[in-house]
Amino acid sequence: MIEYDSTTVGSKRKMLVYTPPGYTSDQKYPVLYLLHGIGGDETEWQRFATPDVLLDNLIADGKAVPMIIVMPNGRAQPDDRPGPNPMATAPAFARFERDLLDDVIPAIQARYSTFTDRESRALAGLSMGGGQALNFGLGHLDTFAWVGGFSSAPNTKPPAELVPDPAAAKEKLRLLWLSCGNKDGLIRISQGVHGYLKEQGVPHVWHVDGNGHDATHWRNNLWFFAQRLFK
Ligand code: FER
């Protein structure tokens, strides 16, 4: 767990960082930024999916590229805890776009040995964080080449706003991953994005499984997604 100065929020904020086995400043690493849901914080991914265990094993098996995973707090406001009414904090999830681009990424690149090109940067998230990943990732194709939305929430922009220039998305994206459980009440959001991308001929992975809005879906999809990154 590290702290960084957020110029966006005007406070010190926390983020959890995974470094792969044997991490050394003699090498450079690609980075996956991984965003939590409406009731979560910088600890949620670790509690739901143990990304450290998943990645240690995938890397040991030669199935994933050694990478850094950054799990920030996606609620860009001075009190960034979910509180008694997490839905009331939704505007802070939109504000996080600036915190991610202006504060989180520079802090990570200053502190860790990372590649800094767009092809070495991925953005993914679950639910509210899935919406953020799609909004910010597809909105900043010069920053992110790998984008994943798992069980994306209604904060996801309407598809035509999300991908206004399908030709640019087609050219720049290395991977666009959309997933949802077929028992998830939010599946219409992902279906809407998938339908539009299909109509526009933008390649993407459309991964529907039998889960609901739950940690099994998120853990499984991180496991699949991580194996496709940076190669
Ligand atoms: C909503 C339903 C669910 C919504 C957000 C969510 C912003 C987020 C769920 C989650 O993050 O688990 O209407 O609106």
Side-chain angles (χ1 to χ4, degrees):
M1 189 68 76
I2 66 166
E3 280 193 342
Y4 66 102
D5 287 309
S6 167
T7 60
T8 303
V9 181
S11 58
K12 277 203 188 299
R13 306 188 71 224
K14 290 193 160 104
M15 49 187 167
L16 192 60
V17 181
Y18 164 83
T19 53
Y23 172 84
T24 164
S25 55
D26 295 341
Q27 286 173 32
K28 289 189 191 299
Y29 299 85
V31 185
L32 164 62
Y33 294 86
L34 197 52
L35 310 178
H36 62 79
I38 191 93
D41 59 19
E42 66 278 7
T43 67
E44 185 178 69
W45 266 104
Q46 183 58 30
R47 288 185 282 112
F48 282 174
T50 57
D52 54 345
V53 176
L54 292 189
L55 266 290
D56 279 1
N57 280 291
L58 287 172
I59 293 165
D61 289 346
K63 291 179 175 170
V65 171
M67 68 182 81
I68 293 170
I69 302 182
V70 178
M71 292 157 272
N73 180 309
R75 193 179 288 104
Q77 61 182 29
D79 175 2
D80 61 11
R81 298 306 105 187
N85 179 14
M87 206 54 88
T89 68
F93 282 79
R95 214 173 297 133
F96 181 70
E97 180 168 8
R98 291 307 345 153
D99 195 54
L100 176 66
L101 297 168
D102 300 341
D103 302 316
V104 169
I105 292 174
I108 291 297
Q109 291 178 175
R111 181 160 177 157
Y112 295 90
S113 183
T114 69
F115 291 116
T116 56
D117 58 303
R118 58 182 294 283
E119 302 236 343
S120 301
R121 214 180 278 118
L123 181 61
L126 70 87
S127 197
M128 203 68 179
Q132 287 177 308
L134 297 177
N135 293 346
F136 309 159
L138 298 172
H140 297 278
L141 293 169
D142 289 338
T143 304
F144 304 99
W146 314 79
V147 176
F150 314 146
S151 325
S152 300
N155 62 326
T156 306
K157 288 179 183 171
E161 224 177 284
L162 203 52
V163 185
D165 183 352
K170 228 165 138 166
E171 186 201 319
K172 292 192 149 168
L173 283 169
R174 295 291 306 278
L175 175 64
L176 175 51
W177 181 279
L178 283 181
S179 79
C180 202
N182 66 12
K183 296 185 189 68
D184 189 326
L186 299 182
I187 195 168
R188 66 188 161 81
I189 302 294
S190 298
Q191 281 170 332
V193 178
H194 163 61
Y196 174 81
L197 294 171
K198 194 170 162 184
E199 188 183 282
Q200 299 294 329
V202 179
H204 61 287
V205 174
W206 172 232
H207 186 236
V208 176
D209 67 17
N211 289 295
H213 200 71
D214 57 50
T216 304
H217 182 82
W218 302 322
R219 190 187 310 120
N220 285 349
N221 277 274
L222 175 60
W223 189 81
F224 286 122
F225 182 70
Q227 295 180 60
R228 303 276 294 255
L229 291 180
F230 311 124
K231 50 183 175 190

